Amino acid sequence: MVQLYNLHPFGSQRVVPCKQEPAHFCCGQDVLFVASTAASCRVEVFAVREQGRCEALGSFATLGPVLRMAHSSAGDYLVTIEEKSKATFLRAYMNWRCMSSGSARVCVRMVGHKMEESYSETLKEQMSVVEMPLSDPPLCISCCPVNGDLLVGCKNKLVMFCLKYLVINQNLTVLDFERSLILHIDNLIPAEVAFCARHIAVTTELDVLILKLELVQQSADRTEQCAQGVSAPEKAEDGGSSATACEETENERRLLSLFCFFSLPHVGYLYSIGKLVELISTYQYSEKSEQAVLTPQFLHVITSQNLQCFTVRCSAAAARDEDPYIDTTVKACPPVTLDVCTLRMQLFIGPRALCHFKNHIILLTKADTEDITERRKPTRRMLSRKADSIKSRTNSESEPGWNLYIINTVSTIQLYREMVDYSRTYENVKTESCIHLLSEAHLLVRAAIMDPHFLKSNEKDDLLRAFRESCAFLGDCYSRFDTKDYHLALPYYRMSGLSMTEVLKRLVSEGDEMRTYERGFIFYLTHSLNEDSSEELSKESGNKVLQVFYFADPVQLPHILCSPCMRNVCPLTAVKYLQKVEKMMPSVILTLTKAFLALKMGDLTMYEHEMDSYKETTLACGFIGQPRLLQQRKEGIVMPTEFAVHLKEMQPGLLVAATVALHENSKIELEEADTFFKMLCSSSENTIPQLLVDFWEALLVVSSQEEIIQELLLRVTSQYVWRISKKQLPETKPLKTTEDLINSCSHFGLIFPWVTSIMSVGCSSDKDYHEDISRLQSLLCSRSINIASALPVLEPLTEADNVGLTIRVLCNTHLGKYEEAIDQLLKRCPDAAVFYAQHELKGDNQALWWNKLLPELCKRARLTGNDGPVLISSLKETLSVVAVELELRDFLSLLPEDGTAAFFLPHLLHCSQRKLLT
């Protein structure tokens, strides 16, 4: 559907002072080329100045009448198809600008002709014509706007010439072409071709074809191109026109987006060309079209009596190709599928051809004979026209039946302002029409900003201001109107650069206490307040926000009051609103918010009343619904709130439980929790406060993620080791004892008897650090921790004391190094060796009783020393176990040959009697 608005995209117009009737014309860079009709065989060149003023630069002769012509910005050359003696020729005019300085010298050469250096020096001051012979007559041409390559359409084939820059010497570079590809297509008679960045569009009498050229690596030294058909989108009846448009960056001609447009007599189609060929827009003309030209901002169409200007969706598609954040809550852009509109239908007599150049439209009009007659007679003009009434003018002075106009399009800013003003007529009547027109204005400005010459534009600052303003207007629409796309208020306001305070002033009237607030406004406010913004609303603006949410979405009041933006809100006013909401919809989050506000007011009685309303576990879970009651982000860093500071002093267990709940519900990361507790306890970066250790221990109780568990086990282990080795006590009392942890957490195990046995021997200097020691031993007794990873952390605890010994033996046991563990115990604490063996040497390891422990005890018992009685006692215990487990012969073979018979005889008797009984 095409909407019609009566705007004014066209400004002043001037007549191009052509000496002869134009047959064809085209534009390039800052000039206009006009090829005369068959009689003169000349091309006139005009410089296009400000406001469309034309200045004749000169003219040059062609071989014959020009049938087609095109200019390439890359290389600044003009290419033509000319006819002479019923033969057609393809020619490229290089260095044509030299003729404006008065030079009449022309060099004609064949494509690929090798030039001698002495001869080529003259090329600096003369126009060079390159002739490109073809086996079949050329029918149509197109130049690639990115690299200047040339595409020629012939019957049943397409021929591509690559533009080459030949460096003759240090002071001279000339242009030439090299035929690089011939693409054969059966039954093809191209009416028009378009070429851009290895994409080819071809129209025939019935079809539109789009081809993409791909580079194919055939060998190390040879790369060839092949063509791949992308699509044949529509059937073109009665002829069609094809055009491509590309967006480029300022510093390099990099293709951003590619589009294909073709036109039938009464309808036009615009496609985007990417991985897929997709139809963007369909244009319905009011009458039969003569020609259509696509630009990044507009589609211009001429009919028998009109120049029409349509909007296009190129900038909407290109913006999405360029910016992945569009169509998110961060950025928005009117949809590619937005209905196009007609901005203007300008009456002209006999439009015949047009082209586009920067902010100018070049329009050729040629009146029929009856039109000229009617203009001279003030009588009513006949509406019917007949083809045979069109006659050639023989004297342009006496019969001015044609004109070549340069029509200036108004500046983007001027047309934008008119569109914005026009949209206000729909503001209170037609919501969708207002949004539609403002969307068109936004796309108009966006297209101007995406223009490769934008950075050099005199309107740069004005365009950027207009862009932000258009975003603000669209934000207003989606906030005020009841529309299904209400969520777009958020990204448009973000792109506008408006602060929340400024948006509130636009949408909330002073003293307006009862009104309906639309979903878009509430959506914008909710998301803005829930973000970690640095903006702080004034007391007045904060009260406005409270009023808006109380009427529109009272459930959100507790959440928005926790926003950093609402720091200046009056707490008493906020409590009054919450009390009203609580009567309708009580909740734990609402109660916690009231407690938070009570702390702000210094009302501890109210605080305690609110906190006593729920059990501690319920309160801890309540923080999941609104983490910002405890922590807020400032410049990406998690900061504790006044509420968190108070809980640290008065209810640290609740604070830890709440933080654990936040972590388990993905509301806070482990590293963020570390920072939170360090800041809360005013600890340095390298100091670990006890409250953080309490958090780690509590998290170990509930966490089910193995990666997190291992990280936590290493952290608490490191802290226990550090405090034990440095003789440091925690600055606050731990929330849980070792016994509590063993009873509640599977990662803390019962301490083995042999560990207790070792610790019972020796000095009592470690008793002050008993909690950390027992925690560490309990961790290692649980077998949850990865010992290989923990060994570097445990390194500070040497074997010199009992604590270090238990840790080393536990580590070796974890690693399966039982023999090393036995050696360590026999050397340092033989009392515990049998306790260790009874606990650890079972199953597959039972053989170590007689293979390791028994021989070691026998060997050490022979040596006299303080440990003699202990070793003898341990040996007897070991012999008792071995006697039960082994056959008499095997048991006898283990006994030392020089052993005392009286010592070993009871164990031999026990072993033999066990055999008789069995």
Side-chain angles (χ1 to χ4, degrees), residues 297-298 410-417 420 440-472 495-496:
Q297 287 184 306
F298 304 109
V410 300
S411 71
T412 299
I413 294 297
Q414 182 179 335
L415 182 56
Y416 164 77
R417 294 286 174 214
V420 170
E440 293 286 11
H442 175 86
L443 288 174
L444 181 74
V445 175
R446 188 183 279 273
I449 290 174
M450 296 179 81
D451 186 276
H453 301 100
F454 165 68
L455 293 176
K456 296 179 181 178
S457 170
N458 295 329
E459 291 186 325
K460 176 184 175 182
D461 293 337
D462 291 336
L463 285 170
L464 290 174
R465 274 193 295 271
F467 179 82
R468 290 191 291 268
E469 183 186 70
S470 71
C471 292
M495 293 192 299
S496 73

Side-chain angles (χ1 to χ4, degrees), residues 25-34 43-49 54-55 57 69-79 93 96-97 99 143 145 253 355-362 406 453:
F25 54 91
C26 68
C27 298
Q29 295 185 352
D30 55 350
V31 295
L32 169 65
F33 298 93
V34 181
V43 173
E44 295 180 82
V45 185
F46 301 90
V48 182
R49 308 300 186 191
C54 283
E55 178 184 323
L57 292 181
M69 64 191 306
H71 177 269
S72 172
S73 296
D76 192 20
Y77 67 87
L78 180 73
V79 61
Y93 294 82
W96 51 267
R97 291 182 185 268
M99 68 176 183
C143 303
R253 302 185 71 83
C355 71
H356 173 263
F357 167 63
K358 293 184 179 178
N359 61 329
H360 310 294
I361 298 166
I362 291 74
I406 289 190
H453 301 100

Side-chain angles (χ1 to χ4, degrees), residues 360-379:
H360 310 294
I361 298 166
I362 291 74
L363 175 66
L364 174 63
T365 65
K366 186 173 182 180
D368 294 340
T369 304
E370 61 189 61
D371 294 330
I372 300 170
T373 304
E374 291 300 322
R375 280 193 296 175
R376 292 175 178 173
K377 292 182 180 181
T379 56

Side-chain angles (χ1 to χ4, degrees), residues 69 95 173 259 277 289 364 405 416 615 777 866 869 879:
M69 64 191 306
N95 202 25
T173 299
F259 305 93
V277 177
S289 65
L364 174 63
Y405 296 101
Y416 164 77
K615 294 180 180 179
Q777 291 170 340
N866 295 330
L879 286 169

Side-chain angles (χ1 to χ4, degrees), residues 8 27 46 73 104 154 170 293 400 446 586 589 741 747 785 901-902 905:
H8 300 84
C27 298
F46 301 90
S73 296
C154 305
Q170 187 176 1
V293 171
R446 188 183 279 273
I589 296 177
L741 291 171
H747 306 298
I785 193 169
L905 187 58

